[in-house]
Every structure is written in structure tokens, then in C-alpha cells.
Amino acid sequence: RWAAAAGRDRKVRVWSVESPDQPKVFAGHEAVISALTFSPDSKRIASGDYAAVVRVSDVASGKQQRLRGPHM
């Protein structure tokens, strides 16, 4: 189980709700992040920004799996 937050610093932070560890930080957006959602199985997180770019990353590994945007 995970919790996530993002915003003006263009980074997504993901915390395990079962552990007090520091959050995992997902960087790479070039605009302010405006949307976050987890996949139904909570294994991936999608983040969208004001430049219409969507990044899908694996929560456990932190690796980006997909990138979509208007110029991609």
C-alpha cells in the first residue's frame, strides 16, 4: 500500500504506508505535476503535468515504463 504526493517541484514522492522510510522520489517532469493515480494493482503510478506529459513508473523499482506527450 502506497501514498503519493506531487506538485510545483516537478517530483513525485511515494511512501509505503507500512514503513516510516523516506519516500521514493520520481523526477523527470519539466512542468508542474497536476495529476497522480495508481494502477489498480498499485504496482505502477502515473503522473501528468501541465505540459500534457504523462509518465508511468514502476513503484517498486522507480523505473519509468512509459512516457506520453504531445511531442513524443
Side-chain angles (χ1 to χ4, degrees):
R1 295 179 4 182
W2 306 97
R8 294 185 182 274
D9 67 355
R10 303 182 311 265
K11 295 178 183 173
V12 175
R13 288 173 177 77
V14 179
W15 292 264
S16 168
V17 296
E18 299 167 355
S19 170
D21 293 340
Q22 292 293 317
K24 295 180 180 199
V25 178
F26 300 80
H29 279 281
E30 295 182 12
V32 174
I33 298 167
S34 58
L36 287 175
T37 190
F38 286 99
S39 62
D41 62 6
S42 297
K43 292 183 179 181
R44 292 172 303 282
I45 188 166
S47 53
D49 66 29
Y50 282 113
V53 173
V54 176
R55 296 176 180 274
V56 178
S57 300
D58 181 86
V59 174
S61 71
K63 292 185 180 182
Q64 182 175 293
Q65 295 179 330
R66 291 190 178 95
L67 177 65
R68 298 279 190 255
H71 302 291
M72 295 176 193

